[in-house]
Amino acid sequence: MSKTPLFSLSAEEDGRSLGTVYSTSSKTLRVFGAAYMRDPKTRGEITLKNPEGRAVASFDVWQDRWSETAETFE
């Protein structure tokens, strides 16, 4: 089993987990997540997490962009 650090992208709707996607590239997950959230049928929210599992960004559908968490800047 590989010990490569993986970023994750988690989707939720009404507090219910819709699933998680993993990648070694946070950029890949950001592109994938933005496309997913731009689909008019998509509901809920997505959160990008670093390999340690801490949230680093979420996609803001109203501004059509990623919003970094406060911890990202620390």
Side-chain angles (χ1 to χ4, degrees), residues 44-62:
E45 57 188 47
I46 56 174
T47 305
L48 178 65
K49 297 177 183 174
N50 67 15
E52 290 78 40
R54 288 195 326 234
V56 294
S58 59
F59 194 80
D60 185 328
V61 293
W62 299 107

Side-chain angles (χ1 to χ4, degrees), residues 11-13 16-20 36 43-45:
E12 286 188 3
E13 182 179 2
R16 188 185 69 187
S17 174
L18 300 177
T20 303
Y36 171 75
R43 301 287 183 262
E45 57 188 47

Side-chain angles (χ1 to χ4, degrees), residues 7-58:
F7 291 89
S8 62
L9 183 65
S10 301
E12 286 188 3
E13 182 179 2
D14 296 328
R16 188 185 69 187
S17 174
L18 300 177
T20 303
V21 179
Y22 298 90
S23 177
T24 56
S25 169
S26 64
K27 183 177 180 180
T28 298
L29 292 177
R30 285 176 186 263
V31 171
F32 175 81
Y36 171 75
M37 292 304 291
R38 289 177 180 134
D39 183 324
K41 297 177 188 173
T42 298
R43 301 287 183 262
E45 57 188 47
I46 56 174
T47 305
L48 178 65
K49 297 177 183 174
N50 67 15
E52 290 78 40
R54 288 195 326 234
V56 294
S58 59

Side-chain angles (χ1 to χ4, degrees), residues 50 52 54-57 68-74:
N50 67 15
E52 290 78 40
R54 288 195 326 234
V56 294
E68 306 303 311
T69 62
E71 290 181 6
T72 304
F73 301 110
E74 293 178 355

